[in-house]
Amino acid sequence: MVNTLYNLAVQKVATSIAEGHYEDMNETFILDSKASNLIYAAFIKIPTSKKAIRIPELVLNLTNVDLRNTTLCHNTIEMLRTQRTLESLALGRTNIVALLKDILNEKSRKRLRHLNIRGAGLIGCGWSDKLSELFPSLKTLNVSNILFENDELLRLCVSFPSLCVLDISGTNIASLHGLSNLKNLQELSIRYLEFANANNLVDLFQLTNLKVLDMSKSKNLETSKNVLRFVECGMNLPELRVLDCSGTDIDEELFAKLLSFLPNLQQIALMDCQLKHAVFSTEIRVLNSATLETSFQTLNYYSKLKKSDSVMKCFQDIFFLLKEYYTQNKEYDIAGCLAILIRTMEQFVTHVQKTREFLSFNPSYITTYASGILCVTEIVSNNAQRLRPVCAVTALRVLLNFIHNFDHLGSNFTQYLRNSIWSAIQTLVTLDLSIINYDDVCDAAVCCLAEVFDTFDIAVPILQVLVYCFPRKRDKFKVSKEGTIKDSKILIRNLHLCMKFTPYYTPLCQSIIDIIFCPIMDDPQTCLHIVENKGAKDLFNAINKFDNEPLQLEILRILKRLVVCANASFENFIEFNVKYLKKTFNKWKSDRLYLLHSIFSILLNQTRRGFRNYVNRLLRNNYHRLETSEIVDIDLPIFHSLFASTQFDGPILWALFKIEKFLEQHDDGRRIVEKFNILNLIINIKIKSKLVKVAKERILLILK
């Protein structure tokens, strides 16, 4: 699901065509059919308003074009008109006959061999005769989900006697009368049709070259009797090799009778019927959900046919079989099964560009892909230790890709699916494989947390993955590529969630705080953003929530950094609670008291006037208890501000304590103090206080 260089080049060329970059070139570029098909497919998905008016001097050799779910515009049609090599064309709901005549030149119409007009709207009366005139060489025709009138099937079969493949599924056809005209027909699909009696099926048995027959339904209805009607005909299809009876009335008795009429049958599909879990002793390959082996064979069969609904059902059956095999300790090819699952999913969503646009038209593809993802999580969760490193990293890539491309769909996915994905990711990252890209995992975690922050049960496993991967990142100064501001906002929001469930999530909270602390140290803008979005208040409240000294110290260090960088008011940091504040100052000592002292000393001038004297009294009364093992630095701008402007002795005492500690801790402290002229600041302190005088004298004594 990672874009190859080839796919990126295709997308770039398509965009350049739309923007008119290939107009008026000095030379002409001729592209092969593979590149042409891919470039045109990308081009028609670009919004019409962004496309250039003129046709580029770039020669495309188109052979396969799919215009379903596409808004046709002038350029789209003009590019088709120039084609001479077109072999296959698929169209959606429109006036098909008129459109085909308009967009294809005569040479393309004569050459065309494959036509898909499934679900066409305004098809008109006598359309089969008109189509046969336009496309005399047609070999494959899909007219499923089209309204047939009276004898239209007979007219179609007379008009196209050389057809080899025909799909009339989901139509209103009640009788196969006329089908006997198709002597060369090898593949026939009559899915979802219902026949009232055996006579309506008689013409089917005139198709002596028929090798593939699909008579399946989406589910087994009690009123459906198609297999019974088939058997009642009592006739053979001697060349039939593949039969799909999924969702029909087939049972063991009808199965045995069918085999007697199909002497060369090699494969039969039996999903969503009574024989879905049946085991047969026969040389014929039976596609059902009896075992993992038959389930994966069935998955391969339907994925090649690109039937998303059937593939989804296969995924669902495989998921429950994987659980069963795990509980019963049954062995299976883990790597092989994982490879098939991923390969099948990638057939439905090839890359990011296609995903975002294509799935708006095909919501069933999302559900199909999600069902496959559940199977991957089941294998990973139960067998991670047995996976080869390459397989483990491939599985991780698929899960991360799903998060990046689909998780924005939010409510479309269940909590169970998200938890399964993140549980599997956690299992994979804890393998500690050197080839795991932990930066990508962190990006996905932050992306997902932004969507699910209000759901704690979903957020916790994501946070657990994030805190495990963050120390292993290459770039530890950003949590994700989103940037520190957005990252910190998301993490603080989730910290707030975790705080509701203390003490159980205390370790997780500490890890979140560790992650927050890292990026803000060198980013004042992030500090300001956190304060303005009430993140500082959440952190301050967390101090009271957690009776855990290491965690409280970490929070206090972050708050101190925020106070220094943000230059915000006192009210941006805490809800002022006199009783709690006094209790905290009296209770704490050592590093916690020192950091608390630091925060309030810096904030004092931003405190409301009515509380300044109270806060200053707390600082002064607890000054004699100040001590710290923290490495003290010289906050020169803060010192200048305090010594020049404050009228309170509490912050001055804190500043003098820091200078004294700095001199004790650093051998070159005296030189630094003299260099920055701090001695003059101390000497010129004008506040008259016995405590300040004693503190000044103590420092001056050290400096002598």
Side-chain angles (χ1 to χ4, degrees), residues 400 403-404 422 437-449 466 473 478-483 487:
L400 294 178
I403 290 166
H404 281 302
W422 283 103
N437 189 326
Y438 292 100
D439 292 67
D440 286 349
V441 180
C442 289
D443 285 345
V446 172
C447 172
C448 201
L449 285 171
L466 181 61
K473 278 170 54 68
K478 285 199 300 184
V479 183
S480 79
K481 61 186 177 185
E482 295 292 341
D487 291 341

Side-chain angles (χ1 to χ4, degrees), residues 19-39:
E19 294 173 352
H21 295 325
Y22 293 112
E23 297 176 8
D24 302 322
M25 294 188 301
N26 295 327
E27 56 181 313
T28 300
F29 293 91
I30 301 175
L31 301 177
D32 61 47
S33 59
K34 178 185 176 182
S36 298
N37 292 337
L38 290 171
I39 290 169

Side-chain angles (χ1 to χ4, degrees), residues 578-588 614 618:
V578 173
K579 186 181 291 186
Y580 168 68
L581 201 57
K582 183 178 180 181
K583 180 182 177 182
T584 304
F585 265 97
N586 292 336
K587 178 182 177 183
W588 283 356
Y614 179 78
L618 284 174

Side-chain angles (χ1 to χ4, degrees), residues 20 59 76 96 102 135 240 262 280 366 386 426 465 488 499 531 567 574 587 599 690 704:
V59 178
T76 306
I96 296 296
D102 183 45
F135 307 112
L240 196 69
L262 307 172
F280 297 92
I366 306 173
R386 299 169 63 187
Q426 187 172 22
V465 169
S488 299
M499 284 163 51
V531 172
N567 193 27
I574 67 168
K587 178 182 177 183
I599 292 167
K690 289 183 178 180
K704 280 186 177 179

Side-chain angles (χ1 to χ4, degrees), residues 534-640:
K534 300 182 179 180
K537 283 187 176 180
D538 280 338
L539 287 168
F540 208 97
N541 291 334
I543 297 174
N544 190 34
K545 279 278 185 180
F546 301 113
D547 188 18
N548 179 293
E549 185 170 348
L551 182 55
Q552 289 171 337
L553 283 170
E554 196 70 29
I555 295 172
L556 287 167
R557 291 186 189 106
I558 296 175
L559 284 169
K560 184 189 172 205
R561 175 64 177 168
L562 292 174
V563 167
V564 171
C565 290
N567 193 27
S569 68
F570 184 87
E571 286 72 22
N572 285 103
F573 285 86
I574 67 168
E575 300 290 346
F576 201 96
N577 185 317
V578 173
K579 186 181 291 186
Y580 168 68
L581 201 57
K582 183 178 180 181
K583 180 182 177 182
T584 304
F585 265 97
N586 292 336
K587 178 182 177 183
W588 283 356
K589 58 184 180 180
S590 189
D591 290 336
R592 283 187 295 177
L593 179 62
Y594 164 72
L595 289 168
L596 191 65
H597 227 281
S598 302
I599 292 167
F600 281 94
S601 294
I602 300 169
L603 278 176
L604 186 61
N605 282 340
Q606 282 79 42
T607 307
R608 282 180 293 170
R609 287 184 178 275
F611 293 109
R612 288 182 186 176
N613 289 330
Y614 179 78
V615 173
N616 185 63
R617 195 158 53 248
L618 284 174
L619 294 173
R620 184 175 62 243
N621 292 343
N622 287 280
Y623 163 69
H624 68 283
R625 297 173 54 232
L626 276 181
E627 57 178 294
T628 183
S629 61
E630 299 268 313
I631 300 300
V632 174
D633 55 358
I634 294 293
D635 299 315
L636 205 58
I638 294 174
F639 286 177
H640 275 288

Side-chain angles (χ1 to χ4, degrees), residues 242 244 246 266-271 278-280 282-305 310-311 313-315 317-318 321 325 336-337 340-341 343-344 347:
V242 178
D244 193 338
S246 297
Q266 297 174 358
Q267 177 176 290
I268 183 169
L270 299 173
M271 296 290 288
V279 178
F280 297 92
T282 174
E283 293 181 0
I284 297 172
R285 174 181 286 184
V286 177
L287 303 180
N288 64 4
S289 299
T291 65
L292 264 183
E293 182 182 1
T294 60
S295 295
F296 274 102
Q297 289 172 351
T298 308
L299 179 66
N300 272 329
Y301 169 70
Y302 284 120
S303 66
K304 289 177 181 177
L305 297 175
S310 298
V311 168
K313 291 174 183 177
C314 289
F315 280 148
D317 289 340
I318 288 170
L321 281 168
Y325 274 50
C337 289
I340 293 172
L341 288 170
R343 184 174 66 245
T344 303
Q347 287 181 351

Side-chain angles (χ1 to χ4, degrees), residues 113-168:
R113 296 170 61 84
H114 310 286
L115 180 62
N116 183 341
I117 54 174
R118 178 181 183 272
L122 305 173
I123 196 162
C125 183
W127 56 270
S128 57
D129 296 332
K130 297 173 184 177
L131 285 181
S132 66
E133 294 174 5
L134 291 174
F135 307 112
S137 302
L138 212 59
K139 297 296 181 183
T140 301
L141 180 61
N142 185 334
V143 289
S144 58
N145 297 332
I146 288 179
L147 184 64
F148 277 64
E149 295 182 3
N150 301 322
D151 61 346
E152 196 67 62
L153 177 62
L154 173 60
R155 296 171 67 178
L156 184 150
C157 295
V158 172
S159 300
F160 292 101
S162 299
L163 279 180
C164 296
V165 180
L166 176 63
D167 189 343
I168 53 174

